[in-house]
Amino acid sequence: MDFRIEKDTMGEIKVPKDKLWSAQTQRSLENFKIGTERMPIEVIQAFSLLKKGAAVANYKLGKLPLEKTEAITIACEEIYNGKWNDHFPLVVWQTGSGTQSNMNVNEVIATRGNQILKERELDFTLHPNDDVNMSQSSNDTFPTALHIAGVLAMEDQLLPALSKLKATLNQKSEEFQGVIKIGRTHLQDATPLTLGQEISGWHHMLEKCESMLMESLVYMMELAIGGTAVGTGLNAHPQFGEMAAKEISLYSGKAFTSATNKFHALTSHDQMVHVHGALKALAADLMKIANDVRWLASGPRSGIAELFIPENEPGSSIMPGKVNPTQSEALTMVSAQVMGNDVTIGIAASQGNFELNVFKPVIIYNFLQSVRLLADSMISFHDKCVVGIEPNYEKIKENLENSLMLVTALNPHIGYENAAKIAKLAYHEGITLKEAAVKTGLLTESEFDQKVDPANMIGNTKWKES
């Protein structure tokens, strides 16, 4: 491998000749050989929006020449479009402020910007600190990039996936509103409801989660940019933070604002904790939905078997013909991972000492992983399972008619204790509720048929069969 010599305040160091990074990136590569988890590319893209916005703001404030501003802008646009992804090699497990990733971005922009200046035959040289990092500190740029990356991922990946799944569940709820089935509580038979009603609960979970996510995301629209080292804004123009936030909003299409209190913005990540809490709530609901689906589809002959779900692949390497609820399994594993990520984020966010939290890389790594996994798994669950859910009408009818809990309809007429006598007699003697009712002498067959009708036990008439 060919090398070139780069210099920083600590001296000289060899850097691969074909790479755009410089000395500080190389030192991080050599000093933090920990794990395989790289800084997410979403963070790098967020940095490119940030650095472009900062350069334009500095230009408008008269601090950066137009020629340098244009070179930085072009380099940032190339980074955002993925042209230089291989030049951002740093791992998550680095300095807790993210300084080395900030400098990685600064160095790549400076090197690429200098190439652009040379191509234009302009007598300017970009410096990664003095020009690209002008009016900034890693302490305010990294949390700014966290919020930009988080908001973009939420709004562009997760919320569309959630909306898609929610819409199909709503359609299924309407489609199956007349399918009366037995309900279950405590994993035991309960009173009837319709399959549409049951699915409407799943739909409303996602509707609530969507609302909570959108409400919580407002807090992440605040950016730390302009706070520099400790929140005072040292070496930055007083208007820089606000101007940079406006430029970032313009380039990203999101309504970012400059944080009103930069001291908070540098040392606290309560906003990300709050948003991820809503992601954890979504994970909990998805866990419940996926479990309900696989329980209701269990069988095909020895389980509940009230639902048919798509058969996507063989389920066993030894049992021929076996098909498993694999989409539910994948979604529930994702939910478990997100719940674990929430613990990590909460602990990391609690470690803001004095003017800075130094657990930033692990916070954004877990946050973005949660968003990505939830978005991908919801799309997969939707496309490969939910769209193909169909009722097993025969099994639903059988389970409904065999349920002892239909006896609940008799409570207002013969009382709880008498109704319990009928249910227990039917269970112990293996006879139907009607046969037990007649045998006790509490009801005639016609009285039983009149009072025990599942269609009259499902509440809101919207759900009753016409």
Side-chain angles (χ1 to χ4, degrees):
M1 181 183 292
D2 292 332
F3 293 92
R4 69 180 190 275
I5 300 299
E6 291 285 351
K7 297 179 181 179
D8 61 8
T9 57
M10 299 189 74
E12 296 183 345
I13 190 170
K14 288 182 178 181
V15 175
K17 200 170 185 178
D18 62 338
K19 300 303 182 184
L20 295 177
W21 67 70
S22 192
Q24 292 198 43
T25 302
Q26 190 64 34
R27 294 191 192 283
S28 182
L29 271 175
E30 295 179 7
N31 291 332
F32 296 95
K33 296 179 180 180
I34 305 173
T36 59
E37 297 84 1
R38 289 191 176 188
M39 188 62 62
I41 200 64
E42 296 93 336
V43 174
I44 304 304
Q45 291 176 318
F47 260 117
S48 71
L49 294 173
L50 161 59
K51 297 296 179 178
K52 179 180 176 181
V56 173
N58 280 319
Y59 165 71
K60 290 182 176 180
L61 290 167
K63 298 185 67 175
L64 194 66
L66 177 61
E67 294 82 357
K68 289 187 175 183
T69 303
E70 289 179 343
I72 291 173
T73 296
I74 293 171
C76 287
E77 290 170 352
E78 291 177 349
I79 291 170
Y80 185 81
N81 291 323
K83 186 174 182 179
W84 307 112
N85 284 358
D86 291 342
H87 297 259
F88 300 98
L90 300 189
V91 296
V92 171
W93 320 109
Q94 54 168 280
T95 171
S97 62
T99 298
Q100 288 141 14
S101 282
N102 179 44
M103 285 307 303
N104 183 195
V105 175
N106 289 335
E107 290 176 347
V108 171
I109 292 172
T111 302
R112 177 59 187 141
N114 284 328
Q115 292 175 352
I116 294 167
L117 289 168
K118 186 176 181 180
E119 292 165 3
R120 294 184 172 188
E121 298 182 348
L122 295 171
D123 191 21
F124 290 91
T125 301
L126 286 172
H127 189 281
N129 296 83
D130 297 337
D131 297 312
V132 185
N133 203 59
M134 180 183 286
S135 308
Q136 305 155 62
S137 162
S138 299
N139 296 353
D140 68 344
T141 60
F142 202 89
T144 297
L146 262 61
H147 279 208
I148 296 171
V151 169
L152 290 174
M154 290 283 292
E155 292 193 350
D156 297 345
Q157 296 177 39
L158 185 125
L159 289 175
L162 175 56
S163 179
K164 185 177 184 180
L165 179 57
K166 183 188 71 169
T168 298
L169 286 176
N170 187 53
Q171 178 260 318
K172 292 287 182 180
S173 174
E174 293 290 336
E175 182 180 354
F176 304 139
Q177 61 178 301
V179 181
I180 302 174
K181 66 184 293 291
I182 199 63
R184 295 176 179 86
T185 59
H186 303 268
L187 294 181
Q188 305 295 309
D189 296 350
T191 57
L193 77 168
T194 73
L195 180 57
Q197 286 175 317
E198 190 166 44
I199 296 176
S200 78
W202 304 345
H203 166 261
H204 200 63
M205 289 176 198
L206 300 189
E207 199 165 53
K208 284 293 184 182
C209 284
E210 182 181 53
S211 177
M212 289 187 288
L213 285 164
M214 293 175 70
E215 289 172 4
S216 66
L217 202 55
V218 172
Y219 295 104
M220 275 180 60
M221 304 306 293
E222 289 190 350
L223 302 181
I225 191 69
T228 66
V230 297
T232 61
L234 178 67
N235 293 345
H237 190 284
Q239 296 176 14
F240 170 75
E242 184 177 343
M243 291 180 66
K246 287 182 179 178
E247 296 297 327
I248 294 166
S249 297
L250 177 65
Y251 306 142
S252 65
K254 311 299 180 184
F256 291 110
T257 61
S258 179
T260 55
N261 189 305
K262 302 298 193 298
F263 306 102
H264 164 268
L266 269 60
T267 196
S268 173
H269 291 298
D270 49 10
Q271 295 151 315
M272 296 198 81
V273 172
H274 183 55
V275 176
H276 199 276
L279 289 173
K280 181 177 70 173
L282 172 60
D285 279 340
L286 290 172
M287 177 81 81
K288 182 267 192 294
I289 293 169
N291 278 334
D292 279 359
V293 167
R294 63 176 163 184
W295 273 107
L296 290 171
S298 61
R301 293 186 175 179
S302 300
I304 294 175
E306 291 184 348
L307 293 183
F308 294 121
I309 58 176
E311 298 180 355
N312 298 320
E313 68 277 313
S316 173
S317 61
I318 189 174
M319 292 175 281
K322 196 172 193 298
V323 178
N324 295 328
T326 51
Q327 289 297 319
S328 285
E329 291 166 8
L331 184 55
T332 52
M333 284 193 290
V334 164
S335 296
Q337 181 66 50
V338 172
M339 292 175 191
N341 287 351
D342 194 71
V343 174
T344 299
I345 289 172
I347 294 172
S350 73
Q351 300 302 303
N353 297 322
F354 306 116
E355 277 62 63
L356 189 68
N357 175 290
V358 291
F359 284 71
K360 300 183 193 299
V362 74
I363 290 173
I364 192 59
Y365 177 80
N366 282 276
F367 186 96
L368 290 175
Q369 185 191 58
S370 291
V371 172
R372 189 182 310 112
L373 289 176
L374 285 170
D376 288 351
S377 61
M378 282 191 290
I379 292 295
S380 183
F381 187 63
H382 172 274
D383 292 351
K384 302 297 182 180
C385 181
V386 174
V387 294
I389 288 176
E390 294 293 337
N392 182 345
Y393 294 101
E394 183 179 343
K395 189 67 173 179
I396 287 173
K397 184 174 184 292
E398 177 188 336
N399 288 340
L400 177 67
E401 292 176 349
N402 286 339
S403 175
L404 298 175
M405 290 304 100
L406 296 181
V407 79
T408 307
L410 295 175
N411 285 1
H413 307 288
I414 62 174
Y416 179 93
E417 291 188 8
N418 283 330
K421 288 179 184 177
I422 293 174
K424 288 178 181 295
L425 179 63
Y427 177 66
H428 290 300
E429 295 193 7
I431 58 178
T432 67
L433 284 175
K434 183 191 293 187
E435 290 170 337
V438 173
K439 191 169 185 177
T440 60
L442 292 167
L443 293 165
T444 65
E445 286 190 23
S446 61
E447 288 174 331
F448 182 90
D449 289 338
Q450 182 183 8
K451 292 176 172 57
V452 183
D453 181 357
N456 294 325
M457 300 174 68
I458 56 176
N460 193 331
T461 54
K462 169 187 174 183
W463 301 101
K464 294 183 181 180
E465 285 184 286
S466 56

